[in-house]
Amino acid sequence: MTATHVLATHLTHLAAEEKSAEVTDWAARIGWVVGLLLFIALVYWLMREGWKWRGTLQSDLPELPSAPSDPGPATLELTGRYHGSTTAGQWLDRIVAHGLGTRSRVELTLTDAGLDVVRPGARDFFIPKEALREARLDKGIAGKVLAEGGLLIVTWAHGDKLLDSGFRSDHAAEQAEWVTTVNNMIDSTKTDGADAGVDSTTQTEGAR
């Protein structure tokens, strides 16, 4: 056997080994990819089941109010994003019933009747002015954390629960005006209610 023949045989063996190694590497990579995809699918399924379970626990939450046919002229308007709702004061206790857990674009309109929340691609809802409790700037709500004061949080009563709903305006500077205006509306509603109570009492006493 000549040296040339030996060298050719050796090179053939090396080529075969390299080809085998390539096949082995590809098989391992495919196995890892399939395993990763299965893991992601499992996590997604668990999250979906957890979401459904939370929705079942919150099934006692009443249906969301709809906007009145004539809410009156707009006091303020805002476009931005809706980041979700939680139990008031518990920023990690997400509310998912009636679509309140679905993030979306949002168009907010404040009128004398209350706050109209229009969500393209998700369910709209309306917060009557009597249900408004507070507006403030905060930094986070379940699943979303921004810089201090980055979120407009509106606290409102729905059924026997107090909820916090988080919004982010496309123009963050206008959120402070929303806080002032909404809180003034709440104070005005309380004052009007107190005045109505005094008038009623006065009329009753006069009748006596």
Side-chain angles (χ1 to χ4, degrees), residues 100-123:
L100 287 174
T102 304
R103 294 181 183 177
S104 63
R105 290 290 300 172
V106 72
E107 298 170 7
L108 294 183
T109 303
L110 184 67
T111 68
D112 288 340
L115 181 62
D116 191 15
V117 184
V118 177
R119 301 192 293 158
R123 186 173 181 180

Side-chain angles (χ1 to χ4, degrees), residues 143-203:
K144 187 66 177 181
V145 178
L146 297 171
E148 189 67 46
L151 281 175
L152 169 64
I153 304 294
V154 176
T155 303
W156 55 292
H158 185 49
D160 59 356
K161 293 180 71 71
L162 281 180
L163 306 181
D164 281 342
S165 292
F167 307 93
R168 171 72 173 178
S169 173
D170 290 335
H171 307 284
E174 67 184 353
Q175 293 180 166
E177 182 183 5
W178 272 78
V179 170
T180 301
T181 305
V182 171
N183 285 331
N184 285 341
M185 175 182 283
I186 293 169
D187 291 340
S188 176
T189 301
K190 290 178 180 177
T191 301
D192 291 344
D195 289 345
V198 170
D199 292 343
S200 176
T201 302
T202 303
Q203 291 174 3

